[in-house]
Amino acid sequence: MHYAYVPYSSYPVGAAALVDDGRIVSGANIENASFGVTLCAECSLVSDLFMSGGGRLVAFDCVDGAGQTLVPCGRCRQLLFEHGGNDLMLNMPSGKVPMSVVLPEAFGPDHLSSDAQGAGPAKH
Ligand code: THU
């Protein structure tokens, strides 16, 4: 969160994640005068993931300016799901919770596979 650019909210966020090859990737929120264009900390974390070699996210945490764990916003849950799937373990204020609980029945890459195209309602 020390790298955050937050002139509008004054609410710095830092995010860090363990990658499946042992790397740690991180990010901070980067705000914009056009508020809706703001990048959450998770966005820059995903950029770090790709720019440092890719891989799958295994464990994740994000914190506020005081270092307190906070919940990732809804958009960022979707963002993280793409790169960690249901088994990504998130540190939440309530404890460690898998993505399958944090974002149940998530839409993801599997839904875009050719087998799924026009196949009707999802099977559970
Ligand atoms: N923010 C994040 O960086 N990640 C989240 O998951 C929640 C919100 C940022 C966006 C904005 O810069 C500030 O927190 C206040 O909403």
Side-chain angles (χ1 to χ4, degrees), residues 1-15 27-35 37-41 44 63 65:
M1 80 289 223
H2 297 298
Y3 294 101
Y5 172 71
V6 289
Y8 308 109
S9 73
S10 299
Y11 188 83
V13 177
N29 51 337
I30 303 166
E31 297 186 341
N32 192 281
S34 178
F35 299 160
V37 182
T38 287
L39 303 177
C40 281
S44 54
V63 296

Side-chain angles (χ1 to χ4, degrees), residues 78-91:
Q78 179 73 29
L79 192 67
L80 294 168
F81 177 78
E82 181 87 10
H83 305 294
N86 281 316
D87 295 333
L88 172 61
M89 194 60 70
L90 294 95
N91 196 37

